Amino acid sequence: MSPQLLFKRLLLALPTLFGVGLVVFILMRVVPGDPIAMMIPPGASPQDIATLRAHYGLDHSIAVQFGIWVKEVLHGNFGTSITFRQDVLGLIGERLPATLELGIVAMLLACVLGGVVGVLSSAWHGGALAGLLDGGAALVQSIPDFLWGLVFILVFGVLLPWLPVSGRLDPALSQDAGTGFILLSNVARGRWDIVGSLLSHMVAPALALGLPVSAMLARVLKASMQEALGSDYVMLARLKGLSGTRVLLREALPNAITPTLSLSAVQFAFLLGGTVLIERLFSYPGIGSLAITAVIGRDLPLIQAVVLTFAVLFISINLAVDTLVVALNPRLRGSKA
């Protein structure tokens, strides 16, 4: 992707973010419920309620509130959380690294599982094992991530208590918060006791998030590989006497992986959205569980900021993968699409 096209895509992202912000802002104002009523103690005077409403800017019309909010956001001020009484941007900065680490681990699991199943299913195409893999992938894909989460809590938390199913880190292990990317920072420091604890806490929620995605990737990869295996250049490779495994991995797979990579980008963005329920199920302290807390508490500044954060992630991931796809496929470098 050329720098000019990348710049245009970035400019197009701005009205998208504005639209997301506008829709969420209006929805949060028109749904029933008063966030101030959830904050005040019993017996609060009308004057106290009016003061609190003015403090959060809720005494203006929706249009004026939106204008004030946009102006403040452009200056980097997302407001103060009604529930936590803290700066919203600071709260998101504390929780977002945990969600990103969980999402990346889940996506890596999905890519590995989906890649292995897709390649094996393609290699054994037409046989009983391929049918078994295809049926298993369809079954795995049909079960949503939160149901997988409940299954893993039952299995790993009750029947076979091999893995922790709550929290992010063993409480006995002290850890400086730092940047929040405590998995990456401890890998760099060689603190394998903390890394082991972090990964053991991630296995169940990451599998719950990644399994449905892995099944989808496997099916798309298999379809792409079947198409590649019927192409002329693969036929030519076979005529040259290359082994079946080499034809599969060196000729078909590199050409079939591009559509799978594009799908991975979209699925990674949706996978991050799925953390909202999964983090709540596993008491994982990320931005997903923060979003649920914000919705329950009608925490308007926090809800708006969390939704905008997910929108920025979605746009950024798609831009990054579009750029990567073009870099991997020279034929697309001159495309204006």
Side-chain angles (χ1 to χ4, degrees):
M1 185 182 295
S2 66
Q4 294 82 3
L5 184 56
L6 181 62
F7 182 69
K8 287 180 181 177
R9 295 284 299 274
L10 288 173
L11 284 182
L12 286 174
L14 295 179
T16 304
L17 291 175
F18 182 83
V20 169
L22 178 62
V23 170
V24 173
F25 195 93
I26 293 175
L27 282 177
M28 289 298 102
R29 263 66 180 180
V30 299
V31 294
D34 185 356
I36 300 300
M38 303 181 72
M39 298 175 58
I40 56 175
S45 67
Q47 182 60 39
D48 294 335
I49 296 173
T51 303
L52 204 53
R53 196 176 296 282
H55 174 74
Y56 285 99
L58 299 176
D59 54 341
H60 300 292
S61 67
I62 292 180
V64 172
Q65 288 181 46
F66 183 69
I68 294 172
W69 180 71
V70 170
K71 180 181 175 183
E72 293 298 323
V73 167
L74 290 176
H75 286 84
N77 179 17
F78 285 79
T80 303
S81 165
I82 294 174
T83 305
F84 297 93
R85 312 289 176 91
Q86 294 181 32
D87 178 63
V88 165
L89 209 55
L91 276 171
I92 291 177
E94 292 173 5
R95 300 291 193 94
L96 184 58
T99 296
L100 290 177
E101 286 189 340
L102 175 62
I104 290 171
V105 170
M107 198 65 211
L108 289 175
L109 283 173
C111 288
V112 171
L113 290 174
V116 170
V117 172
V119 170
L120 290 179
S121 181
S122 180
W124 298 334
H125 179 64
L129 287 175
L132 191 62
L133 288 176
D134 292 343
L139 176 65
V140 168
Q141 189 180 346
S142 65
I143 299 176
D145 51 13
F146 68 91
L147 279 184
W148 281 116
L150 292 175
V151 169
F152 290 139
I153 288 174
L154 176 65
V155 172
F156 296 124
V158 179
L159 300 177
L160 302 169
W162 295 339
L163 294 171
V165 291
S166 176
R168 188 185 183 192
L169 180 68
D170 188 337
L173 295 170
S174 63
Q175 173 59 43
D176 182 11
T179 61
F181 292 95
I182 58 177
L183 177 60
L184 294 176
S185 62
N186 282 287
V187 167
R189 293 166 55 196
R191 287 293 307 272
W192 302 115
D193 54 337
I194 295 179
V195 172
S197 177
L198 287 166
L199 290 177
S200 67
H201 281 78
M202 278 187 185
V203 170
L207 276 176
L209 285 167
L211 272 182
V213 176
S214 71
M216 187 178 299
L217 295 180
R219 299 179 76 178
V220 171
L221 180 59
K222 180 188 176 183
S224 300
M225 288 196 68
Q226 290 302 308
E227 184 179 348
L229 287 170
S231 61
D232 292 339
Y233 64 89
V234 170
M235 299 272 296
L236 183 61
R238 284 179 171 146
L239 290 174
K240 288 180 178 177
L242 297 182
S243 67
T245 302
R246 187 166 181 178
V247 167
L248 195 72
L249 300 180
R250 297 287 298 273
E251 302 295 333
L253 182 59
N255 290 283
I257 207 166
T258 300
T260 311
L261 189 61
S262 301
L263 177 67
S264 300
V266 178
Q267 290 305 310
F268 183 44
F270 282 114
L271 182 148
L272 288 176
T275 57
V276 172
L277 288 178
I278 294 300
E279 287 183 358
R280 191 69 174 183
L281 280 177
F282 289 92
S283 301
Y284 194 86
I287 194 174
S289 58
L290 186 67
I292 294 286
T293 303
V295 171
I296 292 173
R298 287 268 301 161
D299 193 334
L300 304 182
L302 190 52
I303 293 171
Q304 291 156 188
V306 167
V307 172
L308 270 188
T309 302
F310 276 115
V312 169
L313 286 175
F314 192 92
I315 292 170
S316 302
I317 290 168
N318 278 284
L319 271 177
V321 174
D322 283 350
T323 305
L324 181 60
V325 167
V326 173
L328 292 175
N329 191 340
R331 291 175 296 179
L332 299 176
R333 287 175 194 167
S335 172
K336 296 180 180 179

Coordinates of all heavy atoms in Angstrom, one line a residue, residues 128 186 310:
A128 N -11.7 -40.2 4.9 CA -12.5 -40.2 6.1 C -11.9 -39.2 7.2 O -12.7 -38.5 7.8 CB -12.5 -41.6 6.7
N186 N 7.8 -9.5 31.2 CA 8.4 -10.6 32.0 C 9.1 -11.6 31.1 O 10.0 -12.3 31.6 CB 7.4 -11.2 32.9 CG 7.1 -10.4 34.1 OD1 7.9 -10.3 35.1 ND2 5.9 -9.7 34.2
F310 N -12.4 0.4 21.0 CA -12.6 -0.8 20.1 C -12.7 -0.4 18.7 O -12.2 -1.1 17.8 CB -13.9 -1.5 20.5 CG -13.7 -2.5 21.7 CD1 -14.3 -2.3 22.9 CD2 -12.9 -3.6 21.6 CE1 -14.2 -3.1 24.0 CE2 -12.7 -4.5 22.6 CZ -13.3 -4.2 23.8

